[in-house]
Amino acid sequence: MNQRGFVEQWQLRAAFARSLSDMYGTEVPAYTTLLEVSHEVNADVMAQDADAAQRLGTIDRVTAERHGAIRLGTPTEMQQVARVFGAIGMHPVGFYDLREAATSAVPVVSTAFRPIEPEELARNPFRVFTSVITPSDRRFFSEDLQQRLETFLAQREIFGPELLELADRAEADRGLAHEQAQRFLELATAVFELSPEPVDRAWYDELERVSAVAADIGGVSSTHINHLTPRVLDIDALYERMEARGITMIDDIQGPPRWEGPDVLLRQTSFRALAEPRTFRMPDGSISQDSLRVRFGEVEARGIALTRAGRDIYDRAIVEAKQLYAERGVATAEGRQEVLRELWRRDFPTGEDGLAEQGLAYFTYALDEAGTTTRTPIVYEDFLPASAAGIFQSNLTSDGAKDTTQEATALDADWMAGALGRDLFDPFDLYAAQQQASLDDLRAAHPGIPSP
Ligand code: OOG
Ligand code: NI
């Protein structure tokens, strides 16, 4: 807050991330353990070599850094959540089609809301992976079920008028007066709390036979945060320490392997979804207690953003790795890491120099005090569809049903932009523009300088 009691957008964003984190910690205590262990690991990595640890962001940024995941029901809800995130300087970036990326039934398409300017990312990089269900996709939903689902979703109100009004004001004024900021944070946090309202058992179960994700979204008249993810500087160490504390993790760390070369993109893992008590309304009208397993805790380590050329190498390596697991009968997480390492050594340069020279990753350039050009890697701020599908799947209680004889509904980045009623940013364009801006600044200040 500044002197006149005005709370700027980035301060609202940081406060919202903290508020969600506090709320989620009371709802899912294992998340609090995950935060504790993340802090321990980060402190240890900093103690070993503080410069190396902060090559991809200051420790203050990394300590505050979270991503959340939410799942919504309609284009209207997407438009409304875009207003709430717009209020705190988060914009939709990228299009992810989980219907294609997942082998289980995951009938959603997604985008991620995040800050897009380097200074804003440095202040607080909060991001939220946001999915919307696809009732028109016949591989999952019959015409009859689509209609009943859409009718159900059209009747619910997730974002109330007071919250939306405050959101619009914050977006227009780039912040809010102190009291309004408090109210905005209170209302916005409440949207994502687990509702005590009884769940209609028959309706939930009908949707769950199609897809556990469909039931989580369309089986209830509210929404909730699905997981919150801290950033850690050594994800392998974190995995071991969580298991040592008796918390069962999913089998793998998704994404690139641990290896001796530069970390690229994103590595993620999670602890298994926990049974949470929920209240149900049974077909005979009685109320009963049971539990649902949908929410979990995830953790991630971030690496350098790859160019399209670099990303192609990554995508091909992930596909090839899957073939090799099958061919060689690889059945353990360590075995899969070995295969990935083998491919990384073959396909990726072992240093940042190689990544830059071959145009595989993004960097910014500047002159240091001694007059030499320095190169700094740009951190990857987005998500990976294959990893996201893996995270979804490893936490589903059932695979659901996908009728692959039916046509997919075509839903793409343009559809998403239309649903949101806003521009959808392309992640590659954002990284490329940041790299180019640094080169332009360098040349403007030092016209004779050779290209790095
Ligand atoms: C979102 C899964 C994607 C990630 O980190 O890749 C995700 C969800 O489960 O709703 O959060
Ligand atoms: Ni996630």
Side-chain angles (χ1 to χ4, degrees), residues 334-398:
E334 191 37 51
R336 289 187 284 271
Q337 285 283 302
E338 259 320 312
V339 170
L340 284 168
R341 265 194 289 277
E342 183 185 318
L343 297 178
W344 250 247
R345 288 176 183 140
R346 187 193 69 191
D347 293 345
F348 281 101
T350 50
E352 288 181 12
D353 287 348
L355 286 173
E357 281 153 21
Q358 296 171 44
L360 299 179
Y362 293 107
F363 296 86
T364 56
Y365 298 87
L367 273 200
D368 70 6
E369 278 146 32
T372 357
T373 308
T374 60
R375 192 187 57 218
T376 308
I378 298 180
V379 63
Y380 188 60
E381 305 286 355
D382 294 286
F383 294 86
L384 295 170
S387 303
I391 299 276
F392 259 109
Q393 264 160 218
S394 58
N395 278 293
L396 296 181
T397 35
S398 69

Side-chain angles (χ1 to χ4, degrees), residues 67 227 229 298:
H67 88 244
H227 62 264
T229 303
E298 182 194 37

Side-chain angles (χ1 to χ4, degrees), residues 165-441:
E165 204 176 294
L166 285 169
D168 292 345
R169 185 171 321 167
E171 188 164 13
D173 299 349
R174 305 188 69 84
L176 285 173
H178 180 66
E179 255 172 50
Q180 292 174 339
Q182 288 310 111
R183 184 73 182 141
F184 171 85
L185 290 170
E186 200 181 297
L187 291 170
T189 305
V191 165
F192 300 104
E193 282 170 7
L194 198 62
S195 163
E197 175 118 342
V199 177
D200 182 331
R201 181 94 244 186
W203 176 231
Y204 195 94
D205 288 354
E206 181 180 1
L207 287 171
E208 199 174 29
R209 284 192 288 277
V210 170
S211 153
V213 177
D216 184 42
I217 299 171
V220 291
S221 46
S222 53
T223 191
H224 40 257
I225 186 129
N226 175 267
H227 62 264
L228 262 186
T229 303
R231 180 169 162 197
V232 75
L233 297 171
D234 183 344
I235 197 168
D236 301 273
L238 177 123
Y239 187 102
E240 278 165 29
R241 288 194 205 180
M242 288 296 282
E243 293 252 312
R245 287 210 188 189
I247 293 183
T248 310
M249 306 296 282
I250 64 170
D251 293 338
D252 287 270
I253 296 173
Q254 323 253 355
R258 179 187 196 88
W259 78 310
E260 57 284 0
D263 284 326
V264 298
L265 301 173
L266 180 63
R267 302 182 70 210
Q268 298 179 308
T269 191
S270 66
F271 61 74
R272 289 199 183 282
L274 304 171
E276 293 180 285
R278 300 275 279 266
T279 309
F280 291 88
R281 190 179 312 101
M282 305 307 283
D284 65 3
S286 65
I287 296 292
S288 84
Q289 297 297 321
D290 197 353
S291 66
L292 289 178
R293 240 172 228 282
V294 279
R295 308 202 305 160
F296 55 92
E298 182 194 37
V299 64
E300 66 192 13
R302 289 190 171 262
I304 308 176
L306 295 183
T307 60
R308 283 182 203 278
R311 180 56 183 271
D312 283 346
I313 297 178
Y314 174 82
D315 287 339
R316 280 199 302 268
I318 294 293
V319 171
E320 187 177 346
K322 285 216 179 98
Q323 288 161 359
L324 290 175
Y325 303 154
E327 269 168 45
R328 299 180 186 172
V330 175
T332 63
E334 191 37 51
R336 289 187 284 271
Q337 285 283 302
E338 259 320 312
V339 170
L340 284 168
R341 265 194 289 277
E342 183 185 318
L343 297 178
W344 250 247
R345 288 176 183 140
R346 187 193 69 191
D347 293 345
F348 281 101
T350 50
E352 288 181 12
D353 287 348
L355 286 173
E357 281 153 21
Q358 296 171 44
L360 299 179
Y362 293 107
F363 296 86
T364 56
Y365 298 87
L367 273 200
D368 70 6
E369 278 146 32
T372 357
T373 308
T374 60
R375 192 187 57 218
T376 308
I378 298 180
V379 63
Y380 188 60
E381 305 286 355
D382 294 286
F383 294 86
L384 295 170
S387 303
I391 299 276
F392 259 109
Q393 264 160 218
S394 58
N395 278 293
L396 296 181
T397 35
S398 69
D399 283 344
K402 180 173 175 180
D403 179 355
T404 48
T405 63
Q406 298 283 336
E407 276 290 304
T409 322
L411 298 172
D412 56 11
D414 285 340
W415 179 86
M416 182 62 83
L420 295 167
R422 301 193 173 219
D423 288 341
L424 187 69
F425 293 89
D426 178 286
F428 293 104
D429 292 349
L430 294 173
Y431 298 122
Q434 189 183 347
Q435 174 169 287
Q436 192 55 46
S438 79
L439 289 169
D440 292 348
D441 286 354

